[in-house]
Amino acid sequence: MFKTILVPTDGSERSDKAIATAVDYAKNSGARLIGITVAEPYPFSPLAESSMAIDPALYEENVKTLAQQHIKKITDAATAAGVPCQTEIVMSFNPDEEIIKAAQLHGCDAIFMASHGRSGLSRIFLGSKTQKVLTHSTIPVLVLR
């Protein structure tokens, strides 16, 4: 049914479960995977005191290292299952927008992603990237918990 599946990951345990489900589905259906992780750029604030600021170069290096570790989980799982896979790392403050953009760019016909199940005030203040993808996506989104 689905031939190209986008799998976003943030490196969490729930994302790992979504990766496993996507790989399993792809293996059984002959689909290919597109893996993406969206790393947040350095939150530069010109008003921050220099004594409290983090070195932007060090921050970016650490974020990129983590992103590579996250995306490697997708590559490793797909390779082990013999599933064709392509991955990318994107720097952005808007992961939901980048996920949708990647799905369009790669011609994906489904997105398999995790939900962290926030509720109450944390959902209001932090928002739900999964909810935003569900709201704005024009292709099916399978939400895994």
Side-chain angles (χ1 to χ4, degrees):
M1 184 170 159
F2 302 126
K3 293 298 175 194
T4 305
I5 301 166
L6 183 74
V7 185
T9 183
D10 61 3
S12 68
E13 192 173 306
R14 288 193 185 205
S15 285
D16 292 349
K17 290 179 184 177
I19 292 167
T21 301
V23 168
D24 221 24
Y25 180 89
K27 181 178 179 179
N28 292 324
S29 68
R32 70 184 183 108
L33 296 181
I34 306 295
I36 184 172
T37 191
V38 182
E40 193 168 314
Y42 182 72
F44 175 75
S45 173
L47 302 176
E49 290 185 34
S50 61
S51 64
M52 298 197 52
I54 298 170
D55 176 18
L58 180 60
Y59 175 87
E60 189 168 319
E61 182 182 324
N62 287 336
V63 165
K64 285 181 179 178
T65 299
L66 281 174
Q68 289 168 347
Q69 291 170 2
H70 299 333
I71 212 77
K72 187 176 182 316
K73 291 179 182 181
I74 297 173
T75 305
D76 289 350
T79 300
V83 172
C85 179
Q86 179 181 344
T87 60
E88 65 182 80
I89 297 171
V90 179
M91 298 291 284
S92 175
F93 289 111
N94 302 303
D96 50 300
E97 292 175 11
E98 295 299 335
I99 290 166
I100 292 168
K101 191 187 308 181
Q104 293 168 344
L105 178 70
H106 296 285
C108 297
D109 41 24
I111 301 171
F112 284 32
M113 68 185 297
S115 173
H116 293 288
R118 290 187 180 105
S119 61
L121 289 177
S122 67
R123 182 178 182 135
I124 292 168
F125 290 119
L126 297 175
S128 167
K129 304 305 180 215
T130 304
Q131 183 62 42
K132 289 177 183 176
V133 171
L134 279 167
T135 302
H136 300 289
S137 178
T138 58
I139 63 172
V141 179
L142 179 62
V143 179
L144 301 150
R145 291 186 108 193

